[in-house]
Amino acid sequence: MSPALDLLMQRHSIPSRQLGEPAPEGAGLHALLAAAVRVPDHGKLVPFRLIELRGEAKQDFGDRLAAIAARNPALSESKREKERTRYAFAPLVLVVVARVTAGSKVPPIEQEVAAGCVAYNLLLGAHAMGYGAQWLTGWAAYDADVASLLRLAGNERVIGFVHVGTPQIEVPDRERPAVEDVFSTWAP
């Protein structure tokens, strides 16, 4: 098997709570980001952007997220604390944002898929660099107040929060679907 295919076969997510220092920064982060944005982009629209959460900004984001979540009067204190610390573990969180150009010949789904490819390239690139990563969404990815907190424009939405760091545990691979169960050949 080629080294590139071997990399794909070994990639798996590391739970964000199990990611610690270090995370890529400086030239390493730039290389990861440059690789991540090499995605199919029909129409060359660049329908994505990235927002970095690192250091105290992650904790401030978590505090604000907990305040937004507290709109729900039934939210328990333990769940509010979970929201407050959701971004506290991995040293780097990259918010992948889809930026859809309305009226383009490129359908919105293709633009969003391109942004999804950026998120997946972050996972692959982190793995290739010896880091671990996890792509998460959760309610915050779909919430209008969180979008406002992130200063997203009306044509933007969160595709995911990619947590990146150094694995603190060995995570066993999970069972994957058998190719035979998901592959078919179309015939007229």
Side-chain angles (χ1 to χ4, degrees), residues 74-136:
L75 186 72
S76 69
E77 187 54 41
S78 65
K79 289 198 176 183
R80 184 176 177 168
E81 181 63 13
K82 181 179 179 182
E83 296 305 333
R84 195 182 72 68
T85 61
R86 184 176 297 276
Y87 302 92
F89 303 99
L92 172 63
V93 178
L94 295 165
V95 186
V96 181
V97 176
R99 185 173 50 196
V100 176
T101 301
S104 168
K105 68 176 182 170
V106 180
I109 186 70
E110 289 186 28
Q111 296 178 56
E112 291 175 349
V113 168
C117 289
V118 171
Y120 189 59
N121 275 359
L122 287 169
L123 297 180
L124 290 174
H127 178 70
M129 295 172 76
Y131 296 103
Q134 186 177 28
W135 174 357
L136 297 171

Side-chain angles (χ1 to χ4, degrees), residues 176-187:
R176 306 295 174 157
V179 172
E180 299 77 27
D181 293 342
V182 297
F183 177 79
S184 64
T185 301
W186 182 84

Side-chain angles (χ1 to χ4, degrees), residues 11-79:
R11 194 223 60 83
H12 60 274
S13 294
I14 307 292
S16 63
R17 292 178 176 267
Q18 302 301 328
L19 294 169
E21 294 286 354
E25 55 186 329
L29 176 60
H30 187 271
L32 175 61
L33 299 176
V37 300
R38 292 183 62 91
V39 297
D41 179 7
H42 183 194
K44 300 178 187 172
L45 299 174
V46 190
F48 47 80
R49 67 184 181 97
L50 299 153
I51 302 169
E52 177 185 45
L53 299 174
R54 192 188 291 265
E56 289 189 24
K58 288 187 311 152
Q59 188 58 57
D60 185 56
F61 185 72
D63 291 342
R64 292 173 188 232
L65 215 62
I68 293 169
R71 299 177 300 208
N72 176 358
L75 186 72
S76 69
E77 187 54 41
S78 65
K79 289 198 176 183

Side-chain angles (χ1 to χ4, degrees), residues 116-168:
C117 289
V118 171
Y120 189 59
N121 275 359
L122 287 169
L123 297 180
L124 290 174
H127 178 70
M129 295 172 76
Y131 296 103
Q134 186 177 28
W135 174 357
L136 297 171
T137 52
W139 69 271
Y142 310 105
D143 187 89
D145 290 332
V146 175
S148 179
L149 176 63
L150 290 167
R151 297 181 194 96
L152 301 188
N155 67 327
E156 294 181 322
R157 70 182 204 88
V158 172
I159 291 295
F161 299 91
V162 179
H163 300 245
V164 183
T166 299
Q168 304 298 297

